[in-house]
């Protein structure tokens, strides 16, 4: 909410100055932070989208076939879909990427909206079905147990969830991994005790991944099209190839990278793009661009608190990023 207000403030000021019908994040960064801000916003935008596409492709493959997780050397078993499809991992990744990406390419916006609406309905139906089937296994006493020491490790995923809501279920798993390593996975317990629950979990996961994948493919192909200066109605395949090929290749050669990719996107994508940058742009807007005596700001600040609040926003995001970098360095050394 805080950084959203800051983005809205800078967006409105930029819109009033440029007088254009639409203002992008890069144009806001260019106006307030110059070339450096523009380069950072573009690089972070590409990093966020490519990383998440790698995560979704990897997760789909791990859901429908057995594979070796190169991140930790373990062997991961596929779910019920794997027993039916029995596809090798690279083929399943290609099938998903080309299949869903091809649908995005060949359909009109109205057709794609209908398809995505159907997928969202499927997500809701499977989610509420999961609640009904698994409700009997809920132990209310466990809700009284809190592990606050695990919260910092979940902040990157939480921040990512605010950018795209389909990532929210991952938070539960990340909390488990951070502090309850010796505790059995509740989802595995449900799968073993209730086979139908396992099927519902897989359906929910695959539908949620597909809807997320479609959204990020659309966003990145539009960005690439703008970068290549292609006409708005152009259906050239180049943006789609540039969007889908790199994450597909990465997911094939680094299986089981789903959670690592999400955490990386949350730290170095979301916290920079929607944490540090909004605070820095608002700071420049208030105290550099519009600070002269002859300057009249078109709107009042949407977020009160002045430099203190802006400093806290930038500082908190910077601390989380710095802590993650430190943890990665310590882990690499040890």
């Amino acid at each position: 909410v805080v950084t959203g207000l800051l983005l809205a403030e800078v967006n409105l000021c930029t819109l009033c100055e440029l007088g254009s019908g639409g203002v992008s994040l890069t144009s806001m960064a260019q106006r307030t932070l110059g070339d450096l801000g523009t380069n950072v916003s573009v690089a972070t935008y590409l990093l966020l989208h490519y990383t998440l596409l790698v995560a979704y492709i990897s997760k789909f493959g791990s859901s429908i076939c057995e594979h070796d997780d190169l991140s930790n050397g373990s062997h991961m078993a596929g779910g019920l879909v794997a027993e039916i499809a029995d596809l090798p991992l690279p083929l399943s990744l290609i099938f998903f990427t080309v299949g869903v990406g091809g649908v995005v390419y060949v359909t009109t916006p109205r057709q794609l909206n209908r398809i995505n609406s159907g997928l969202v309905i499927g997500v809701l139906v499977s989610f509420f079905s999961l609640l009904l089937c698994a409700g009997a296994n809920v132990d209310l006493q466990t809700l009284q147990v809190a592990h606050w020491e695990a919260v910092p490790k979940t902040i990157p995923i939480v921040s990512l969830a605010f950018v795209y809501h389909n990532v929210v279920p991952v938070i539960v798993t990340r909390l488990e991994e951070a502090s309850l390593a010796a505790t059995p996975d509740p989802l595995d317990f449900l799968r073993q005790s209730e086979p139908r629950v396992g099927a519902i979990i897989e359906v929910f996961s695959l539908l949620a991944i597909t809807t997320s994948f479609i959204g990020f493919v659309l966003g990145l192909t539009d960005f690439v099209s703008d970068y290549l200066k292609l006409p708005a109605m152009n259906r050239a395949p180049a943006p789609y190839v540039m969007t889908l090929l790199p994450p597909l290749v990465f997911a094939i050669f680094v299986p089981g990278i789903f959670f690592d990719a999400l955490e990386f996107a949350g730290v170095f994508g979301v916290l920079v793009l929607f944490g540090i940058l909004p605070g820095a742009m608002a700071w420049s807007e208030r105290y550099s661009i519009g600070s002269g005596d002859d300057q009249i700001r078109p709107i009042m600040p949407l977020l009160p608190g002045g430099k203190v609040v802006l400093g806290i926003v930038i500082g908190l995001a910077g601390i989380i990023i710095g802590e993650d970098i430190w943890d990665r360095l310590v882990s690499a050394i040890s």
Side-chain angles (χ1 to χ4, degrees), residues 141-147:
Q141 291 184 351
T142 59
L143 299 178
Q144 301 175 5
V145 180
H147 295 269

Side-chain angles (χ1 to χ4, degrees), residues 298-319:
I299 63 169
M300 296 296 294
L302 298 181
L303 183 68
K307 294 182 178 180
V308 174
V309 172
L310 294 181
I312 291 175
V313 171
I314 298 173
L316 286 177
I319 290 172

Side-chain angles (χ1 to χ4, degrees), residues 46 59 89 103 219 250 272 302 306:
L46 292 174
K59 183 59 178 177
L89 180 60
V103 169
F250 197 90
V272 173
L302 298 181

